[in-house]
Amino acid sequence: MKIILHIACSIFAFYILDCLKVDMIFKKGHVAKIRMFYILVAILLGTSMSNFIIDIFVETQNLQLLFG
């Protein structure tokens, strides 16, 4: 479950990053570096997002045990 969520969130982050014009930061002709930057940032954002979602579910279950 966690791996699927990490992959799904990374793909979503890559899709969102595609809307930004990050290529203006890099020099022209460095396509490989731009792609590597997109991939690394998408993985970082995706894992952060999925960890946040997992933490919310865990804390919600803990609250149900506390008040239930």
Side-chain angles (χ1 to χ4, degrees):
M1 176 68 182
K2 288 182 182 182
I3 294 174
I4 294 170
L5 186 61
H6 283 301
I7 292 171
C9 287
S10 294
I11 291 171
F12 180 71
F14 187 77
Y15 175 74
I16 295 299
L17 284 174
D18 195 31
C19 297
L20 300 175
K21 290 198 173 214
V22 179
D23 55 343
M24 299 186 79
I25 297 171
F26 294 94
K27 295 179 183 177
K28 291 185 178 183
H30 294 283
V31 178
K33 290 181 181 179
I34 296 171
R35 286 182 185 164
M36 184 61 72
F37 178 77
Y38 272 126
I39 291 169
L40 289 175
V41 172
I43 290 171
L44 289 173
L45 287 175
T47 54
S48 297
M49 192 174 4
S50 64
N51 284 332
F52 177 74
I53 292 169
I54 290 169
D55 288 342
I56 286 178
F57 282 130
V58 168
E59 293 301 322
T60 304
Q61 289 176 350
N62 289 340
L63 284 175
Q64 287 176 352
L65 291 174
L66 182 66
F67 293 115

